[in-house]
Amino acid sequence: MKRKSETAGFTLIEVLVVIAIIGILMMLLVPAVGRAKDAARRGVAKQDIMNLRTALAQYELEQGAYPPDTVAKGGLYASANANLVYCLSQRTIDGPGSYMEFKQEQVSIVGAVRYFQDCWGNDYRYIRLETPDTFGRLYYIYSMGPNGLDECDDNVKGGTPNGILTDAEISGDKGDDLYSW
């Protein structure tokens, strides 16, 4: 009877080389996945702003002006975001329905007030521009982006004063905050 002196299998060196190759591939893959997730969130925020712009255009067409950015309620002022959600959630002229349906996962509720939030959990910012020559027909709406800070380069942009997106804003070259005028 003959005995085999060598057994079938992998050597320790071969196993370590395979583990090292897998580790290198993971180091290359993880940042790419993170960038793809951030790009997807930015896309969702831009689409939300485009949906808001469409709803605001319909509201302005029926009401004659954009919703105010603050409303006095019982001596307290509601935030612009909460008033925007309130105004776009109901239709007063053309019967039932709403100007925009808000997804439950993107609306936070504090007391009886609803706030529309971006995919990073920050409230969208809405400002109605009141100047003598515009009669409240201009607005500014944006997401504060992933860091949640206002007035910085990571806000998500969505438009200019006439509502037209610039090439830099579409490509996101000026940061990641989203704006819309």
Side-chain angles (χ1 to χ4, degrees), residues 82-104:
N83 189 53
L84 184 67
V85 172
Y86 176 78
C87 289
L88 296 181
S89 294
Q90 57 187 354
R91 198 173 228 131
T92 57
I93 292 179
D94 268 349
S98 64
Y99 297 101
M100 182 173 174
E101 296 292 329
F102 294 94
K103 299 175 193 169
Q104 185 174 357

Side-chain angles (χ1 to χ4, degrees), residues 9 15 29 38 46 48 69 73 83-85 108 116 120 123-124 133 135 145 148 153 155 161 167 171 175 178:
V15 171
L29 184 63
D38 186 53
K46 284 185 178 185
D48 286 345
D69 51 7
K73 293 184 179 181
N83 189 53
L84 184 67
V85 172
S108 69
F116 187 43
W120 297 284
D123 293 346
Y124 282 101
D133 57 336
F135 304 104
D153 287 339
N155 290 345
D167 291 337
S171 66
L178 289 177

Side-chain angles (χ1 to χ4, degrees), residues 25-38:
L25 291 174
M26 291 300 291
M27 287 185 344
L28 296 174
L29 184 63
V30 169
V33 170
R35 285 190 301 270
K37 285 173 67 175
D38 186 53

Side-chain angles (χ1 to χ4, degrees), residues 12-92:
L12 180 61
I13 299 293
E14 291 171 331
V15 171
L16 290 176
V17 167
V18 169
I19 290 173
I21 290 172
I22 291 172
I24 291 170
L25 291 174
M26 291 300 291
M27 287 185 344
L28 296 174
L29 184 63
V30 169
V33 170
R35 285 190 301 270
K37 285 173 67 175
D38 186 53
R41 286 183 177 141
R42 290 177 51 73
V44 168
K46 284 185 178 185
Q47 187 61 46
D48 286 345
I49 288 176
M50 295 303 289
N51 291 341
L52 284 168
R53 289 175 56 190
T54 302
L56 284 166
Q58 183 67 31
Y59 182 94
E60 192 268 340
L61 184 66
E62 290 183 7
Q63 305 292 331
Y66 293 111
D69 51 7
T70 57
V71 174
K73 293 184 179 181
L76 300 174
Y77 282 90
S79 78
N81 182 297
N83 189 53
L84 184 67
V85 172
Y86 176 78
C87 289
L88 296 181
S89 294
Q90 57 187 354
R91 198 173 228 131
T92 57

